[in-house]
Every structure is written in C-alpha cells, then in structure tokens.
Amino acid sequence: MLILGIETSCDETAAAVVEDGKRILSNVVASQINIHSKFGGVVPELASRKHIQNIIPVISEALLDAETSLDKIDGLAVTQGPGLVGSLLVGISVAKALAYARGLPIVGVDHLEGHIYANFLEHNELITPFVSLVVSGGHTHLIYVKEKRKYEKLGQTLDDAAGEAFDKVAKLLNLGYPGGPIIDKLAKEGNPEDIPFPRPMLKDSSLNFSFSGLKTSVLNYLMKEKKSENPINTVNVVASFQKAVVDVLVEKALKALEIKKVEVITLAGGVAANSALRSEFAKRCQERGYKLYYPSIKLCTDNAAMIAALGYELLSKGENHILSLHEDVSKTGFAINLK
Ligand code: KG4
Ligand code: ZN
C-alpha cells in the first residue's frame, strides 16, 4: 500500500511516499529557516504563504523521488494538528483536493503521534509497551504507549517546551534560529559543569516538566555578568544550559519507566536529534539494561514520512475522513486518548 504523506504544521513543507508503513520511498522537506531566522522564530503568516508556494513542488518531488505517480498512490495522510492553523490549512486543503480528484481515501493524523511513529517506521523490532519522550519545539510529553494507537499521558511541560527553551536561549545569545542544532554544536566545545543552572522540577514527584524558569535563569546570569562587565563564555553557557535540560529529561523519563515497569524508551521530536541527549540516554539505559530507540536525525525533526507511516495504520484498516477532515486537533484519536 503506497501512502502519500503531507506535513505543513509549522515551518517545514514536507511530503513523502511510504510503502506499507515501513519502506520510505521518498522524504522531501522544504525548510523555511532562511525566512524566519531573522525574526528569531516562526512568523505564522509568512509560514502559511510559503507553504502555498512550496506544497505542489514538494509533492511533485516526493512522487518523482519515489519513482511513482499519483496513479499508483493508494491513500493520503495529512497532519491535522496541532500546529499553526494557517499552515495546517494549506496541507489539509491540498490533500483533500487530491483525494477528492483522485477518489482516494484520506486520513488526518496527529503530529505528535506522527513523531512517535517515526520510531516504528525505522525500528522493525520495536514492540509495545514502551515509554515515549516526545520533545519538540511545541511539546514536551512523556507518553506510555500501551500498544499501537493506545496511549496514556504520563507528564508534560507546564510552560515552555524543551525545543522552545533551546530556541529562546539561542535568541538571548544572538546565535540564530532554530537554536537547538546551533546550541548542540557549540555545546560540544563548552564545559557543561561551568554554570550551575537549576534543574526545574527534578525533585518533584510528578512526571511534568517546566523550562521557562531555566530560560530566565540563563537571562539573569547573562545580565549579571554584563553588569559586572565580565566576558560571556558562550560555549560554557550553552553547554551548562543544555546539560540542565538533558538531566531533567533523562531523569523524568527513567522515572516513567520505573513507574510503568517497562524497559523500553523511545525518543521523538526535534530535540531527540540532540547529541548530548542521545548519549546521556544511551549511557543511562545501558547501565540499567533498558532498550533505547530514537529515529535518525531526518526523522526526528518534522517530516512527512512519519505522517505517512501513521496514516498507513489507519488507512490499512479502511478509515477515510474525507468529509469530516478539518484543522481541529481535538478530533484526532490521539488527542482524545491523551485526555
Ligand atoms: O519536531 P520539530 O521539528 O518541530 C516541532 O514539532 O516543533 O522540533 C523543532 C525543535 C526546535 O525547537 C529545534 O530547536 C529543536 O527541535 N531541535 C533541537 C535539535 N534539532 C532540532 N534541539 C536540540 N538539539 C538539536 N540537535
Ligand atoms: Zn514536530
């Protein structure tokens, strides 16, 4: 079954062709970073406009790369939410038009659930139950995946998402956007023990997170150093900040495994691309005999292959949302399951 996946929830216009939810035949992502970077974050109106320009060429490229055509596509999967409404509407409208014109089934899927599916897509041996840490620019969730499509939310951020904290700290230091990959690279040259930034909610008994206070601590540190006319050691600041984020994410995720009595953890979302996060998880999981999975970098950040893989799950069971599909995430099964 050949599925065409479409993803336009934020600032990447993406399309992919995936066979039977497993084999990626193409995975095209048109980034808008150069448009948004000068603003230090995504400008929703500019994002929607760029999606309109990019969506048809990106879909055409995905079909071409997969050496296929719309005639051979068996169904469509599109991100229904969460995301920027104007951006989502572009992907959904094009997907609905294609489905209608070609008489194809179409399903709207949840972006976060798509991130979780990136691991199923790449790791054939992955079996439920497991705990998934979904860390992106908009979300930080700990989710118990009881079985495919059956979820329990264990914890989430009470304010900023982990990726948002990376982006905001990079902005404070004028490092560029998105901050995550830039900080990841710079932190390799810094001393993570240099500045004792707080580990928010580490001792709290819940599995929730909070990152906005950490960002403020970085800001206060920078202001204090500036006032004292001390030079800022940027690499040490970002390494120490990153270590604080990683420590909290790892500690809470391991606690979730203990609570749920499972020994498998998957990382998902853009922040799962972080090299310090991956290596700390690898070390800690090895010590405890836990199995760790994370997607390749290209499948951590936003992409449509994960959307097609999740779409296969629904389409192969005969689901078709054509008339009911709109940009309302509260209608996706995932959102309902998470409540
Ligand atoms: O999943 P994603 O591509 O989009 C959302 O669904 O939000 O995640 C984007 C987020 C951004 O905040 C970005 O800074 C962060 O992921 N990110 C990283 C890295 N690569 C991307 N954060 C830390 N280290 C990275 N290597
Ligand atoms: Zn995402």
Side-chain angles (χ1 to χ4, degrees), residues 111 115 136 269-270 300-302 306:
H111 182 80
H115 276 304
S136 69
C300 283
T301 47
D302 287 350
M306 66 185 193

Side-chain angles (χ1 to χ4, degrees), residues 9-326:
S9 66
C10 191
D11 61 339
E12 334 266 13
T13 317
V17 178
V18 175
E19 189 176 26
D20 295 337
K22 280 285 167 211
R23 211 160 74 83
I24 302 175
L25 303 187
S26 64
N27 187 15
V28 179
V29 180
S31 167
Q32 302 181 3
I33 285 176
N34 55 348
I35 296 169
H36 303 287
S37 56
K38 51 181 168 291
F39 302 100
V42 178
V43 182
E45 174 66 17
L46 297 181
S48 324
R49 284 168 188 260
K50 199 64 196 169
H51 283 308
I52 291 171
Q53 286 173 2
N54 283 346
I55 188 75
I56 300 295
V58 164
I59 291 173
S60 303
E61 197 179 323
L63 292 168
L64 203 69
D65 282 2
E67 294 176 7
T68 190
S69 67
L70 275 179
D71 295 335
K72 301 205 181 83
I73 295 293
D74 299 299
L76 290 135
V78 62
T79 303
Q80 191 175 4
L84 303 170
V85 171
S87 292
L88 288 164
L89 265 174
V90 177
I92 292 172
S93 305
V94 170
K96 278 171 93 169
L98 282 175
Y100 185 70
R102 295 276 168 165
L104 291 170
I106 179 173
V107 288
V109 300
D110 187 288
H111 182 80
L112 288 190
E113 191 176 8
H115 276 304
I116 293 174
Y117 260 73
N119 279 297
F120 284 124
L121 177 55
E122 271 195 320
H123 304 296
N124 265 324
E125 71 280 20
L126 175 63
I127 46 166
T128 57
F130 57 83
V131 168
S132 188
L133 173 69
V134 186
V135 267
S136 69
H139 296 84
T140 301
H141 275 44
L142 267 169
I143 294 168
Y144 177 56
V145 184
K146 195 170 170 208
E147 55 187 84
K148 277 191 172 176
R149 310 228 60 225
K150 293 244 181 311
Y151 307 99
E152 181 192 334
K153 185 166 69 189
L154 304 173
Q156 70 182 107
T157 183
L158 302 178
D159 41 58
D160 290 355
E164 196 178 349
F166 272 96
D167 296 338
K168 285 179 174 170
V169 166
K171 196 170 178 180
L172 290 177
L173 289 159
N174 287 320
L175 297 176
Y177 177 84
I182 301 167
I183 289 181
D184 190 349
K185 198 161 161 225
L186 284 179
K188 289 189 171 63
E189 294 154 35
N191 174 9
E193 311 298 336
D194 188 37
I195 308 151
F197 288 127
R199 269 61 174 160
M201 298 186 74
L202 193 61
K203 301 277 174 261
D204 170 271
S205 64
S206 79
L207 292 173
N208 291 330
F209 304 93
S210 163
F211 292 109
S212 92
L214 174 57
K215 171 202 65 196
T216 310
S217 297
V218 176
L219 174 64
N220 290 342
Y221 171 84
L222 293 174
M223 292 202 314
K224 194 174 96 234
E225 294 299 294
K226 203 172 159 197
K227 210 166 155 199
S228 317
E229 292 179 5
N230 292 333
I232 302 286
N233 185 329
T234 303
V235 290
N236 283 0
V237 174
V238 295
S240 301
F241 156 76
Q242 178 176 269
K243 183 76 171 59
V245 176
V246 168
D247 281 354
V248 180
L249 292 174
V250 171
E251 217 51 61
K252 293 258 172 175
L254 293 179
K255 195 161 146 190
L257 289 177
E258 273 171 31
I259 292 172
K260 297 312 287 184
K261 297 190 173 46
V262 290
E263 303 203 331
V264 182
I265 171 99
T266 70
L267 313 181
V271 182
N274 185 267
S275 56
L277 185 74
R278 288 168 176 244
S279 61
E280 187 62 21
F281 261 112
K283 188 174 129 224
R284 301 286 295 278
C285 287
Q286 200 186 12
E287 282 165 10
R288 293 176 184 219
Y290 292 160
K291 281 220 63 88
L292 167 71
Y293 294 93
Y294 46 72
S296 54
I297 305 277
K298 203 165 177 205
L299 291 184
C300 283
T301 47
D302 287 350
N303 66 86
M306 66 185 193
I307 299 303
L310 169 58
Y312 170 76
E313 203 69 42
L314 285 72
L315 289 160
S316 61
K317 293 186 177 67
E319 281 195 43
N320 187 359
H321 302 162
I322 182 93
L323 293 175
S324 59
L325 187 56
H326 54 87

